[in-house]
Amino acid sequence: MSTARLIDPVLQRMEAVEREAKRLSGLIVLDGRFAPALTQETFDVENPGNGEIIGAAPRCRADDVDRAVQVAHRAFAKWARIPARERGALLLKAADRLEAEREGLAQLSSLETGNALATQTRGEATTMVDIFRFFAGLAGELKGVTVPRADGVFLYTKREPLGVVGAIIPWNAPLMQTATKTAAALAAGNTVVLKTAEQAPLAVLKCFEILQSVLPPGVANAISGFGEEAGQALCEHPLVRKVTFTGSSAVGARILHAVADKIVPVTAELGGKNPNIVMADADIERAAKGVIAGLRLQRQGQSCTAGTRIYLHDDVYEPVMERVLAAIPTFRIGNPLDDATQVGSIISRTQRDRVERYVAMARKTPGAKILIGGERPSDPELANGYFYTTTLIEGVPASSPVCRDEIFGPVATVSRWTDFESVLAEANDSAFGLAAVLWTENLRAAFDFVDRIEAGFVQVNQFSVAEANIEYGGTKLSGTGRELSAESLVNHFTWPKTVIVNTAAQ
Ligand code: ADP
């Protein structure tokens, strides 16, 4: 160990987290314990903040998937029969254990995702615990209805758990995604096999390790592997009775195809290219803060909810942009594990290449102008990581892929507008329909927008993200199904049974 490492608290922290990453390397969580996978192959896990390899994860294929699903299937028979509130009590206990390990989980997540500890992963770990508690409390609320029919005829509905849930998550917020998928599935009496994202498997494995200390073996299992191998095999497995997925729209479509023949429900939380519209009468300070919040700097813009199409009314364009452009450089980019860092690194070289391709495309577009960013940070300490400055681009036509595709990085377009009908039409002229935000002091305009915008998650005069009890999901290419609400638990993690008990005399 170098002397620098001994005296620098951030490097000391990294050293400790790197040790934890090594401990979790090469394993999956199966049947209540850490286990080696059947596959002998692994793939590297990288720290995107410095490009160093921090661990390895098993490259599971169909045989590992089958073993995990069989385990979960066996566990289902018992788990589904545990009285609902007892299941809830176990999930509450799991939440307590996760809470006790929050800091370690957050640090590990920062190490492998590049998301900053101070602004993203600590908060995300808290949200994760909250989501477990939320669904734990709802376990006893999976109610059916009674239907009046006739004397002596008892007509009612009840909700049944589906069976083994295959959960597939991305890398951008793995702790939150784990809770969203796992807590809801388990509360409803299902068991889970979760496939971690290739880029960020380790913090999720640690979550599952913690869950094993409370839950019966086989109820919550986690595997790693590539999408086309492990992910696809999980979707196709005959005993997987529900798939819950968050990721790109292209993969969401592939998953729907993969399960089509066995006809199982799919929740698909997919991409977004979300409009953030400021009207002429908006509160300028508030709207400028909202535009910044919409950029999701704490995740380097790698958020489905990010407001990446910014539409500013001509009357307020200058004052809003002045504030936004002044604020962006004040966010400190740096080592994700440093408490002083507010913006970390992009997840991978591949993803940064993608961001750079779109910025290059914008540069070549006649009339387009990079207002800020458009480059890697100059700090030599960050040269080995996949850092990129927050980038705002003006003057890109609505037809450009820069305006239409989900870039999934710190890049947003800014446009001027004067006619509300036109800006609303442009906002809706998108393949996606996830989130949308409007800034106005005019109540009528606000509700008009709410009624006519094609998005599943609509906000007026605030920008915040989904959390427990705020239902989330999109329309169009942004997906199908909803998460994080009581209704999502009932509708997407159980199936309804209609029962008629006829005791009437013939
Ligand atoms: P991203 O671009 O954010 O990585 P993806 O949609 O490619 O988003 O991946 C999200 C998750 O879906 C990852 O866990 C990935 O392994 C998985 N995945 C990718 N392809 C498939 C597939 N064909 N079937 C099932 N899962 C897949």
Side-chain angles (χ1 to χ4, degrees):
M1 197 188 294
S2 73
T3 327
R5 285 219 149 195
L6 283 173
I7 50 178
D8 183 327
V10 178
L11 292 178
Q12 274 182 352
R13 174 182 282 166
M14 283 183 72
E15 187 110 343
V17 196
E18 283 165 7
R19 267 199 306 276
E20 182 65 350
K22 293 238 154 48
R23 180 181 76 82
L24 296 159
S25 277
L27 297 169
I28 58 174
V29 175
L30 185 77
D31 214 3
R33 61 194 171 81
F34 269 132
L38 297 172
T39 177
Q40 299 299 307
E41 274 178 84
T42 60
F43 56 90
D44 288 339
V45 182
E46 190 179 15
N47 171 357
N50 63 15
E52 285 175 17
I53 302 303
I54 49 162
R59 183 175 170 178
C60 294
R61 292 200 174 82
D63 53 350
D64 271 305
V65 168
D66 180 53
R67 190 171 62 150
V69 173
Q70 299 286 355
V71 160
H73 182 65
R74 280 197 296 277
F76 173 67
K78 272 198 194 145
W79 179 248
R81 302 200 98 80
I82 294 181
R85 292 210 60 212
E86 279 177 37
R87 278 200 310 266
L90 285 171
L91 291 173
L92 279 180
K93 212 172 184 189
D96 291 345
R97 300 266 166 95
L98 289 166
E99 187 168 46
E101 302 282 342
R102 246 178 343 177
E103 178 65 14
L105 287 165
Q107 290 185 11
L108 192 56
S109 191
S110 284
L111 187 74
E112 63 184 344
T113 61
N115 291 336
L117 183 61
T119 56
Q120 172 60 31
T121 56
R122 277 197 186 119
E124 191 188 323
T126 302
T127 302
M128 170 191 68
V129 173
D130 187 47
I131 293 170
F132 265 91
R133 293 208 170 112
F134 176 72
F135 284 116
L138 288 173
E141 292 292 319
L142 291 161
K143 295 168 179 165
V145 296
T146 58
V147 182
R149 179 87 183 158
D151 282 352
V153 179
F154 183 32
L155 170 47
Y156 68 104
T157 62
K158 63 189 297 242
R159 309 298 306 200
E160 303 285 2
L162 290 148
V164 179
V165 171
I168 299 178
I169 62 169
W171 42 260
N172 62 336
L175 298 177
M176 163 140 183
Q177 296 291 352
T178 294
T180 304
K181 312 284 189 213
T182 310
L186 296 180
N190 307 287
T191 55
V192 172
V193 175
L194 181 144
K195 191 197 84 63
T196 53
E198 291 86 326
Q199 299 83 348
L202 301 175
V204 177
L205 270 191
K206 191 174 163 77
C207 282
F208 273 73
E209 178 188 32
I210 295 164
L211 294 181
Q212 306 312 310
S213 67
V214 174
L215 301 177
V219 163
N221 310 280
I223 59 168
S224 50
F226 296 152
E228 313 76 54
E229 297 172 356
Q232 180 124 359
L234 184 59
C235 295
E236 287 172 352
H237 197 291
L239 291 175
V240 168
R241 301 308 310 158
K242 156 90 194 180
V243 175
T244 174
F245 167 75
T246 297
S248 60
S249 301
V251 172
R254 289 187 66 175
I255 286 177
L256 287 165
H257 281 287
V259 302
D261 285 343
K262 59 176 179 170
I263 311 190
V264 303
V266 174
T267 301
E269 297 295 349
L270 310 176
K273 185 77 174 179
N274 311 298
N276 197 350
I277 304 174
V278 180
M279 295 194 63
D281 67 353
D283 176 323
I284 301 286
E285 297 296 338
R286 197 167 167 172
K289 284 193 184 124
V291 168
I292 295 277
L295 296 173
R296 307 285 286 129
L297 299 185
Q298 61 276 59
R299 272 205 230 149
Q300 301 71 249
Q302 301 164 128
S303 157
C304 317
T305 325
T308 47
R309 289 187 292 151
I310 302 163
Y311 298 102
L312 307 178
H313 190 278
D314 196 43
D315 291 355
V316 293
Y317 189 96
E318 272 76 24
V320 172
M321 279 316 286
E322 196 180 293
R323 287 163 175 77
V324 169
L325 293 175
I328 287 173
T330 67
F331 286 82
R332 195 179 146 157
I333 302 188
N335 181 343
L337 281 144
D338 187 335
D339 286 325
T341 293
Q342 292 164 296
V343 180
S345 72
I346 289 178
I347 186 73
S348 63
R349 182 183 298 276
T350 310
Q351 193 63 22
R352 187 176 62 183
D353 286 351
R354 177 181 166 85
V355 166
E356 290 184 334
R357 270 200 308 278
Y358 278 99
V359 174
M361 199 186 297
R363 268 190 224 288
K364 285 200 211 111
T365 306
K369 188 173 160 203
I370 310 270
L371 298 173
I372 191 166
E375 59 192 4
R376 300 176 187 182
S378 53
D379 182 350
E381 296 231 341
L382 305 182
N384 293 331
Y386 308 122
F387 295 89
Y388 201 77
T389 53
T390 303
T391 304
L392 294 183
I393 309 168
E394 182 186 59
V396 183
S399 58
S400 162
V402 180
C403 268
R404 303 194 79 79
D405 298 355
E406 184 183 45
I407 299 173
F408 221 60
V411 181
T413 57
V414 190
S415 315
R416 268 176 210 269
W417 63 274
T418 47
D419 174 47
F420 184 69
E421 288 304 316
S422 310
V423 78
L424 187 62
E426 195 171 325
N428 279 335
D429 181 20
S430 168
F432 299 104
L434 189 53
V437 185
L438 182 76
W439 302 86
T440 184
E441 297 295 300
N442 179 333
L443 201 58
R444 181 173 294 158
F447 281 106
D448 188 29
F449 172 76
V450 167
D451 288 343
R452 291 160 70 203
I453 192 74
E454 294 164 11
F457 188 58
V458 182
Q459 299 177 77
V460 176
N461 292 339
Q462 65 153 46
F463 181 95
S464 64
V465 290
E467 58 182 62
N469 214 17
I470 299 184
E471 189 171 83
Y472 188 74
T475 184
K476 297 167 36 182
L477 276 193
S478 295
T480 173
R482 290 294 180 269
E483 293 187 320
L484 292 167
S485 64
E487 291 73 23
S488 75
L489 177 67
V490 175
N491 295 331
H492 301 304
F493 285 102
T494 68
W495 58 277
K497 184 183 274 178
T498 299
V499 186
I500 310 171
V501 180
N502 192 332
T503 61
Q506 292 298 315

